[in-house]
Amino acid sequence: MLKTNMKFFIHTFGCQMNVYDSDYITQCLLNMGWQRSGSAEEADLVVVNTCTVRAKPEQKASTLIGRLSKLKKKRPEMILGVVGCLAQEKGEALMERFPSLDFVMGPRQIAEIKETVSKILETRDRLLALQLDHAPPEPEHCPGYFEGRVTAFVSIMQGCNNFCSYCIVPYVRGREVSRPPHEIIKEIKEVIHQGVKEVTLLGQNVNSYLWVTDKDKWDFPRLIQEVGRLEGLLRLRFTTSHPKDLSDSLISCFVQVEPLCPHIHLPFQAGSNKVLKLMKRGYTREHYLGLVKKLRQVRPDIAITSDVMVGFPGEGRDDFQKTMDLIREAGFDGLFSFKYSDREGTLAASMGPKVPEEEKAERLSILQEYQKEMTFKKHKEMVGDVVSVLVEGPSKRPGQFMGRTPTNKIVNFPLDNGMIGHEVKVKIVRANRNSLVGQPVKERGLN
Ligand code: SAH
Ligand code: SF4
Ligand code: F3S
């Protein structure tokens, strides 16, 4: 018999996919009658949802698992599990390294969380579940779970087929599988019903979304158009787009689909064609810059953010200069930048010559210094503008609220209660480096 008065705690590392998966696990456990715990110390079940995209998140997850293993020595009845991408990569090794782990489960197996936990409670066996060829699990809803939330992620596909030479994701998330469109739409209707106003569609490469049956074909632009028609949805976003698959019909969605926000996250990774080729990205810098131009022609107010890495094997100083040139030319609103890190089993891990760590650190700091000023400049240019902000909740400052512009910039402003989940007009009065300060100009916004 399954106990129902148990408490659980989930720690999530990594990207939005992991956030979505942790929500999935949480809903399954709540449906079993379990409750959330405020801390690992008080929980009967502790789950670590891991990331392994670079060395740093891997180290962070390992450190936490080590700490929790010590906690378990004091409380042997506690169940300790590891899920996510590091779990998939290092499953057996994790079991060996941390003998107190009760289960390790890959991203395609989380639908079995209930059975796994029940079995462990019954038998105290240690369980390892790493199959990748499963169809991705359909979400299990917990009634009212999204109540009080303004934004939600909805996964439209799992896995990746691109095998960029540096990237471990295809190995740990498996092959690309798109979800049936009616399931996606059902899930979005469900979260809207619970009060969510903004949905972000998730996939490693949403542009290659494809659902084909004998009678029907859905590509990503069609999905965006259909989702954009759903009643009650104020804002729609998606991430991540791959530049090699960004079609004209998707670009025109930024004009045709009203709730689609004018923001695109379009990782470029490197500015030198030589490095892009070694990375197996499938496009050139010219193609990338052409896309930026097209996006701005079609939607002049669009914000463009990106991912870039420095120190890929064989990246010379001249290649790095090309990355800096591209950044200058593109004028990104924001940039996530990383030092290249070898991932076991990927093509790039066996490529040379490796760039020394100090050199990578120097390149990263030059790049980040430039982008910091660029982001600040873009923020300063907005002072005086009146923008529409979707109020997400209280900000850290007492009496203040926070929300985002359609271009995904964070704004803090004073407001009366009761406007959470509404769009309000806010005048930008000050620019900070990471956010904006505003003043509402009307009591009630667009709705
Ligand atoms: N699917 C997304 C990226 C997912 S990984 C895309 O294709 O755009 C998120 C980011 O981590 C990547 O965009 C890349 O910039 C970075 N990254 C991936 N592997 C890396 C590695 N081995 N070293 C450093 N950064 C890496
Ligand atoms: Fe990794 Fe490339 Fe797939 Fe993105 S598209 S997840 S970078 S292999
Ligand atoms: Fe990390 Fe896995 Fe996401 S490796 S970035 S959590 S897909």
Side-chain angles (χ1 to χ4, degrees):
M1 247 316 268
L2 191 60
K3 297 181 197 164
T4 54
N5 56 344
M6 309 280 274
K7 286 184 164 179
F8 64 94
F9 184 82
I10 305 181
H11 191 105
T12 308
F13 292 102
C15 65
Q16 295 101 323
M17 282 290 179
N18 270 11
V19 174
Y20 179 81
D21 287 351
S22 288
D23 271 333
Y24 178 99
I25 297 171
T26 304
Q27 293 187 79
C28 291
L29 295 170
L30 290 173
N31 282 343
M32 277 163 58
W34 289 30
Q35 288 159 27
R36 274 188 263 212
S37 158
S39 73
E41 281 70 19
E42 288 162 15
D44 303 294
L45 163 68
V46 179
V47 180
V48 186
N49 195 356
T50 57
C51 171
T52 184
V53 77
R54 287 173 293 277
K56 225 180 187 175
E58 176 180 353
Q59 281 153 10
K60 278 193 196 162
S62 302
T63 309
L64 182 65
I65 300 166
R67 236 180 58 213
L68 292 168
S69 299
K70 282 192 197 129
L71 180 67
K72 194 176 151 127
K73 284 218 177 86
K74 282 191 240 153
R75 295 179 43 217
E77 72 290 354
M78 172 183 124
I79 300 177
L80 179 58
V82 178
V83 299
C85 297
L86 181 65
Q88 184 69 43
E89 186 200 358
K90 296 269 165 75
E92 270 179 60
L94 284 174
M95 282 293 219
E96 261 172 49
R97 181 169 163 204
F98 301 105
S100 55
L101 276 183
D102 294 292
F103 68 92
V104 173
M105 214 180 219
R108 293 256 173 125
Q109 302 246 266
I110 55 173
E112 276 141 54
I113 186 77
K114 278 187 194 174
E115 289 70 23
T116 304
V117 173
S118 312
K119 200 160 170 212
I120 292 169
L121 277 172
E122 234 168 74
T123 64
R124 294 311 302 200
D125 283 347
R126 302 180 78 209
L127 301 176
L128 183 67
L130 301 176
Q131 281 197 53
L132 264 187
D133 48 7
H134 273 213
E138 278 306 324
E140 181 170 330
H141 289 291
C142 171
Y145 183 73
F146 286 91
E147 272 167 24
R149 286 206 206 176
V150 177
T151 62
F153 295 130
V154 172
S155 162
I156 64 164
M157 60 209 291
Q158 272 277 347
C160 183
N161 289 348
N162 284 318
F163 289 94
C164 302
S165 65
Y166 50 81
C167 186
I168 198 162
V169 172
Y171 302 91
V172 292
R173 288 253 166 197
R175 292 294 64 69
E176 202 172 272
V177 190
S178 294
R179 274 180 76 192
H182 58 275
E183 290 289 346
I184 297 169
I185 289 169
K186 194 170 105 194
E187 187 176 349
I188 297 174
K189 281 185 176 164
E190 175 64 36
V191 296
I192 296 174
H193 177 70
Q194 292 185 36
V196 164
K197 306 288 186 209
E198 176 183 302
V199 163
T200 303
L201 305 178
L202 293 183
Q204 294 300 341
N205 177 13
V206 287
N207 304 348
S208 63
Y209 175 87
L210 193 60
W211 181 259
V212 188
T213 63
D214 293 347
K215 299 178 215 98
D216 217 4
K217 182 179 166 196
W218 288 67
D219 58 8
F220 189 52
R222 177 166 175 207
L223 185 68
I224 288 274
Q225 276 154 9
E226 299 284 342
V227 172
R229 283 193 199 112
L230 296 179
E231 207 175 312
L233 183 70
L234 288 186
R235 291 183 173 187
L236 179 60
R237 301 180 187 277
F238 58 80
T239 195
T240 296
S241 288
H242 196 303
K244 79 175 163 58
D245 303 315
L246 183 66
S247 63
D248 287 350
S249 59
L250 182 55
I251 293 179
S252 46
C253 286
F254 283 106
V255 184
Q256 290 160 1
V257 181
E258 217 218 287
L260 186 63
C261 290
H263 168 223
I264 187 165
H265 185 65
L266 191 64
F268 77 99
Q269 313 296 4
S272 133
N273 285 337
K274 179 190 105 188
V275 174
L276 283 171
K277 197 158 185 201
L278 291 170
M279 286 178 164
K280 294 193 171 298
R281 287 290 286 178
Y283 55 85
T284 59
R285 65 178 279 127
E286 292 76 19
H287 177 75
Y288 186 88
L289 287 166
L291 289 175
V292 168
K293 205 166 152 196
K294 225 189 252 178
L295 283 160
R296 293 223 164 98
Q297 263 163 6
V298 168
R299 191 73 209 242
D301 60 337
I302 200 162
I304 304 178
T305 56
S306 196
D307 291 351
V308 57
M309 68 183 86
V310 296
F312 186 83
E315 182 191 79
R317 291 223 154 169
D318 51 335
D319 297 309
F320 173 64
Q321 277 319 319
K322 288 183 180 134
T323 291
M324 289 305 299
D325 288 347
L326 190 149
I327 293 173
R328 281 186 209 104
E329 206 170 325
F332 293 114
D333 290 78
L335 196 51
F336 295 96
S337 46
F338 313 101
K339 284 191 279 184
Y340 164 80
S341 120
D342 273 337
R343 300 284 76 202
E344 214 181 305
T346 61
L347 252 176
S350 55
M351 285 181 189
K354 302 289 182 205
V355 176
E357 273 307 309
E358 319 79 75
E359 181 67 29
K360 282 190 214 170
E362 195 188 323
R363 289 180 196 177
L364 189 67
S365 111
I366 294 171
L367 188 156
Q368 290 183 337
E369 209 40 55
Y370 177 84
Q371 186 58 43
K372 214 166 82 186
E373 291 311 316
M374 177 50 98
T375 304
F376 195 24
K377 182 172 161 257
K378 295 232 173 200
H379 284 176
K380 285 189 281 199
E381 281 167 5
M382 288 178 73
V383 173
D385 289 358
V386 174
V387 290
S388 165
V389 175
L390 177 59
V391 187
E392 289 183 25
S395 99
K396 280 172 214 140
R397 289 234 200 112
Q400 299 257 318
F401 283 78
M402 71 72 65
R404 279 164 212 269
T405 64
T407 53
N408 213 29
K409 296 185 197 296
I410 294 172
V411 188
N412 291 295
F413 46 93
L415 195 71
D416 294 333
N417 271 319
M419 294 305 279
I420 293 174
H422 290 268
E423 276 186 317
V424 293
K425 293 275 182 196
V426 171
K427 184 170 184 169
I428 303 300
V429 294
R430 206 175 77 224
N432 292 330
R433 288 193 176 273
N434 299 317
S435 62
L436 298 156
V437 180
Q439 194 68 39
V441 291
K442 254 202 277 172
E443 253 234 275
R444 237 182 147 74
L446 302 174
N447 312 283

PDB file of all heavy atoms in Angstrom, residues 407-424:
ATOM      1  N   THR A 407       9.060  42.239 -25.389  1.00  0.00           N
ATOM      2  CA  THR A 407      10.419  41.903 -25.813  1.00  0.00           C
ATOM      3  C   THR A 407      11.218  41.182 -24.718  1.00  0.00           C
ATOM      4  O   THR A 407      12.425  41.013 -24.827  1.00  0.00           O
ATOM      5  CB  THR A 407      11.182  43.175 -26.246  1.00  0.00           C
ATOM      6  OG1 THR A 407      11.091  44.123 -25.179  1.00  0.00           O
ATOM      7  CG2 THR A 407      10.613  43.769 -27.515  1.00  0.00           C
ATOM      8  N   ASN A 408      10.513  40.789 -23.650  1.00  0.00           N
ATOM      9  CA  ASN A 408      11.084  39.960 -22.589  1.00  0.00           C
ATOM     10  C   ASN A 408      12.026  40.698 -21.640  1.00  0.00           C
ATOM     11  O   ASN A 408      12.901  40.088 -21.038  1.00  0.00           O
ATOM     12  CB  ASN A 408      11.803  38.733 -23.179  1.00  0.00           C
ATOM     13  CG  ASN A 408      11.695  37.528 -22.250  1.00  0.00           C
ATOM     14  OD1 ASN A 408      10.722  37.407 -21.499  1.00  0.00           O
ATOM     15  ND2 ASN A 408      12.693  36.664 -22.264  1.00  0.00           N
ATOM     16  N   LYS A 409      11.839  41.999 -21.516  1.00  0.00           N
ATOM     17  CA  LYS A 409      12.678  42.740 -20.566  1.00  0.00           C
ATOM     18  C   LYS A 409      11.918  42.885 -19.246  1.00  0.00           C
ATOM     19  O   LYS A 409      10.712  43.127 -19.239  1.00  0.00           O
ATOM     20  CB  LYS A 409      13.030  44.105 -21.145  1.00  0.00           C
ATOM     21  CG  LYS A 409      13.876  43.946 -22.404  1.00  0.00           C
ATOM     22  CD  LYS A 409      14.345  45.268 -22.916  1.00  0.00           C
ATOM     23  CE  LYS A 409      14.820  45.181 -24.337  1.00  0.00           C
ATOM     24  NZ  LYS A 409      15.983  44.338 -24.551  1.00  0.00           N
ATOM     25  N   ILE A 410      12.679  42.731 -18.157  1.00  0.00           N
ATOM     26  CA  ILE A 410      12.054  42.773 -16.828  1.00  0.00           C
ATOM     27  C   ILE A 410      11.847  44.221 -16.384  1.00  0.00           C
ATOM     28  O   ILE A 410      12.761  45.042 -16.473  1.00  0.00           O
ATOM     29  CB  ILE A 410      12.932  42.020 -15.811  1.00  0.00           C
ATOM     30  CG1 ILE A 410      12.960  40.539 -16.173  1.00  0.00           C
ATOM     31  CG2 ILE A 410      12.432  42.232 -14.381  1.00  0.00           C
ATOM     32  CD1 ILE A 410      13.938  39.721 -15.376  1.00  0.00           C
ATOM     33  N   VAL A 411      10.638  44.514 -15.930  1.00  0.00           N
ATOM     34  CA  VAL A 411      10.317  45.859 -15.437  1.00  0.00           C
ATOM     35  C   VAL A 411       9.793  45.747 -14.002  1.00  0.00           C
ATOM     36  O   VAL A 411       8.952  44.896 -13.711  1.00  0.00           O
ATOM     37  CB  VAL A 411       9.228  46.533 -16.313  1.00  0.00           C
ATOM     38  CG1 VAL A 411       9.049  47.993 -15.901  1.00  0.00           C
ATOM     39  CG2 VAL A 411       9.568  46.442 -17.793  1.00  0.00           C
ATOM     40  N   ASN A 412      10.296  46.588 -13.115  1.00  0.00           N
ATOM     41  CA  ASN A 412       9.772  46.691 -11.751  1.00  0.00           C
ATOM     42  C   ASN A 412       9.023  47.999 -11.620  1.00  0.00           C
ATOM     43  O   ASN A 412       9.474  49.034 -12.131  1.00  0.00           O
ATOM     44  CB  ASN A 412      10.926  46.662 -10.735  1.00  0.00           C
ATOM     45  CG  ASN A 412      11.574  45.290 -10.696  1.00  0.00           C
ATOM     46  OD1 ASN A 412      10.947  44.314 -10.300  1.00  0.00           O
ATOM     47  ND2 ASN A 412      12.814  45.220 -11.140  1.00  0.00           N
ATOM     48  N   PHE A 413       7.899  47.990 -10.922  1.00  0.00           N
ATOM     49  CA  PHE A 413       7.082  49.206 -10.828  1.00  0.00           C
ATOM     50  C   PHE A 413       6.148  49.111  -9.622  1.00  0.00           C
ATOM     51  O   PHE A 413       5.784  48.012  -9.201  1.00  0.00           O
ATOM     52  CB  PHE A 413       6.256  49.387 -12.108  1.00  0.00           C
ATOM     53  CG  PHE A 413       5.586  48.119 -12.548  1.00  0.00           C
ATOM     54  CD1 PHE A 413       4.291  47.834 -12.150  1.00  0.00           C
ATOM     55  CD2 PHE A 413       6.265  47.192 -13.320  1.00  0.00           C
ATOM     56  CE1 PHE A 413       3.679  46.642 -12.534  1.00  0.00           C
ATOM     57  CE2 PHE A 413       5.660  45.996 -13.692  1.00  0.00           C
ATOM     58  CZ  PHE A 413       4.369  45.728 -13.302  1.00  0.00           C
ATOM     59  N   PRO A 414       5.730  50.276  -9.103  1.00  0.00           N
ATOM     60  CA  PRO A 414       4.778  50.248  -7.992  1.00  0.00           C
ATOM     61  C   PRO A 414       3.377  49.998  -8.536  1.00  0.00           C
ATOM     62  O   PRO A 414       3.045  50.462  -9.624  1.00  0.00           O
ATOM     63  CB  PRO A 414       4.884  51.663  -7.409  1.00  0.00           C
ATOM     64  CG  PRO A 414       5.361  52.513  -8.530  1.00  0.00           C
ATOM     65  CD  PRO A 414       6.133  51.642  -9.467  1.00  0.00           C
ATOM     66  N   LEU A 415       2.560  49.260  -7.789  1.00  0.00           N
ATOM     67  CA  LEU A 415       1.219  48.950  -8.290  1.00  0.00           C
ATOM     68  C   LEU A 415       0.343  48.516  -7.124  1.00  0.00           C
ATOM     69  O   LEU A 415       0.842  48.009  -6.127  1.00  0.00           O
ATOM     70  CB  LEU A 415       1.320  47.801  -9.305  1.00  0.00           C
ATOM     71  CG  LEU A 415       0.120  47.552 -10.198  1.00  0.00           C
ATOM     72  CD1 LEU A 415      -0.023  48.668 -11.220  1.00  0.00           C
ATOM     73  CD2 LEU A 415       0.269  46.209 -10.928  1.00  0.00           C
ATOM     74  N   ASP A 416      -0.970  48.696  -7.309  1.00  0.00           N
ATOM     75  CA  ASP A 416      -1.890  48.149  -6.314  1.00  0.00           C
ATOM     76  C   ASP A 416      -2.032  46.661  -6.565  1.00  0.00           C
ATOM     77  O   ASP A 416      -1.788  46.182  -7.656  1.00  0.00           O
ATOM     78  CB  ASP A 416      -3.270  48.811  -6.454  1.00  0.00           C
ATOM     79  CG  ASP A 416      -3.194  50.280  -6.093  1.00  0.00           C
ATOM     80  OD1 ASP A 416      -2.305  50.629  -5.305  1.00  0.00           O
ATOM     81  OD2 ASP A 416      -4.014  51.049  -6.626  1.00  0.00           O
ATOM     82  N   ASN A 417      -2.457  45.969  -5.526  1.00  0.00           N
ATOM     83  CA  ASN A 417      -2.701  44.531  -5.684  1.00  0.00           C
ATOM     84  C   ASN A 417      -3.771  44.268  -6.721  1.00  0.00           C
ATOM     85  O   ASN A 417      -4.491  45.159  -7.117  1.00  0.00           O
ATOM     86  CB  ASN A 417      -3.163  43.949  -4.341  1.00  0.00           C
ATOM     87  CG  ASN A 417      -1.963  43.514  -3.533  1.00  0.00           C
ATOM     88  OD1 ASN A 417      -1.021  42.950  -4.076  1.00  0.00           O
ATOM     89  ND2 ASN A 417      -2.003  43.796  -2.246  1.00  0.00           N
ATOM     90  N   GLY A 418      -3.895  43.062  -7.137  1.00  0.00           N
ATOM     91  CA  GLY A 418      -5.024  42.685  -7.981  1.00  0.00           C
ATOM     92  C   GLY A 418      -4.755  42.770  -9.463  1.00  0.00           C
ATOM     93  O   GLY A 418      -5.615  42.456 -10.266  1.00  0.00           O
ATOM     94  N   MET A 419      -3.566  43.213  -9.857  1.00  0.00           N
ATOM     95  CA  MET A 419      -3.278  43.335 -11.295  1.00  0.00           C
ATOM     96  C   MET A 419      -2.403  42.187 -11.812  1.00  0.00           C
ATOM     97  O   MET A 419      -2.039  42.170 -12.987  1.00  0.00           O
ATOM     98  CB  MET A 419      -2.611  44.677 -11.603  1.00  0.00           C
ATOM     99  CG  MET A 419      -3.496  45.877 -11.366  1.00  0.00           C
ATOM    100  SD  MET A 419      -5.039  45.771 -12.265  1.00  0.00           S
ATOM    101  CE  MET A 419      -4.514  46.317 -13.869  1.00  0.00           C
ATOM    102  N   ILE A 420      -2.091  41.243 -10.941  1.00  0.00           N
ATOM    103  CA  ILE A 420      -1.277  40.112 -11.396  1.00  0.00           C
ATOM    104  C   ILE A 420      -2.037  39.365 -12.492  1.00  0.00           C
ATOM    105  O   ILE A 420      -3.234  39.111 -12.370  1.00  0.00           O
ATOM    106  CB  ILE A 420      -0.929  39.181 -10.206  1.00  0.00           C
ATOM    107  CG1 ILE A 420       0.002  39.918  -9.241  1.00  0.00           C
ATOM    108  CG2 ILE A 420      -0.285  37.874 -10.675  1.00  0.00           C
ATOM    109  CD1 ILE A 420       0.317  39.184  -7.976  1.00  0.00           C
ATOM    110  N   GLY A 421      -1.343  39.086 -13.590  1.00  0.00           N
ATOM    111  CA  GLY A 421      -1.980  38.390 -14.711  1.00  0.00           C
ATOM    112  C   GLY A 421      -2.615  39.338 -15.719  1.00  0.00           C
ATOM    113  O   GLY A 421      -3.185  38.891 -16.701  1.00  0.00           O
ATOM    114  N   HIS A 422      -2.514  40.655 -15.469  1.00  0.00           N
ATOM    115  CA  HIS A 422      -3.040  41.634 -16.430  1.00  0.00           C
ATOM    116  C   HIS A 422      -1.895  42.318 -17.154  1.00  0.00           C
ATOM    117  O   HIS A 422      -0.802  42.442 -16.616  1.00  0.00           O
ATOM    118  CB  HIS A 422      -3.863  42.703 -15.713  1.00  0.00           C
ATOM    119  CG  HIS A 422      -5.150  42.173 -15.171  1.00  0.00           C
ATOM    120  ND1 HIS A 422      -6.326  42.201 -15.870  1.00  0.00           N
ATOM    121  CD2 HIS A 422      -5.426  41.574 -13.987  1.00  0.00           C
ATOM    122  CE1 HIS A 422      -7.284  41.650 -15.153  1.00  0.00           C
ATOM    123  NE2 HIS A 422      -6.766  41.256 -14.000  1.00  0.00           N
ATOM    124  N   GLU A 423      -2.214  42.825 -18.341  1.00  0.00           N
ATOM    125  CA  GLU A 423      -1.239  43.668 -19.032  1.00  0.00           C
ATOM    126  C   GLU A 423      -1.513  45.111 -18.639  1.00  0.00           C
ATOM    127  O   GLU A 423      -2.655  45.569 -18.726  1.00  0.00           O
ATOM    128  CB  GLU A 423      -1.372  43.503 -20.549  1.00  0.00           C
ATOM    129  CG  GLU A 423      -0.601  42.303 -21.076  1.00  0.00           C
ATOM    130  CD  GLU A 423      -0.599  42.207 -22.581  1.00  0.00           C
ATOM    131  OE1 GLU A 423      -1.665  42.433 -23.186  1.00  0.00           O
ATOM    132  OE2 GLU A 423       0.463  41.904 -23.159  1.00  0.00           O
ATOM    133  N   VAL A 424      -0.484  45.805 -18.186  1.00  0.00           N
ATOM    134  CA  VAL A 424      -0.656  47.215 -17.833  1.00  0.00           C
ATOM    135  C   VAL A 424       0.327  48.063 -18.648  1.00  0.00           C
ATOM    136  O   VAL A 424       1.392  47.584 -19.048  1.00  0.00           O
ATOM    137  CB  VAL A 424      -0.420  47.483 -16.319  1.00  0.00           C
ATOM    138  CG1 VAL A 424      -1.489  46.828 -15.475  1.00  0.00           C
ATOM    139  CG2 VAL A 424       0.948  47.024 -15.879  1.00  0.00           C
TER     140      VAL A 424
END
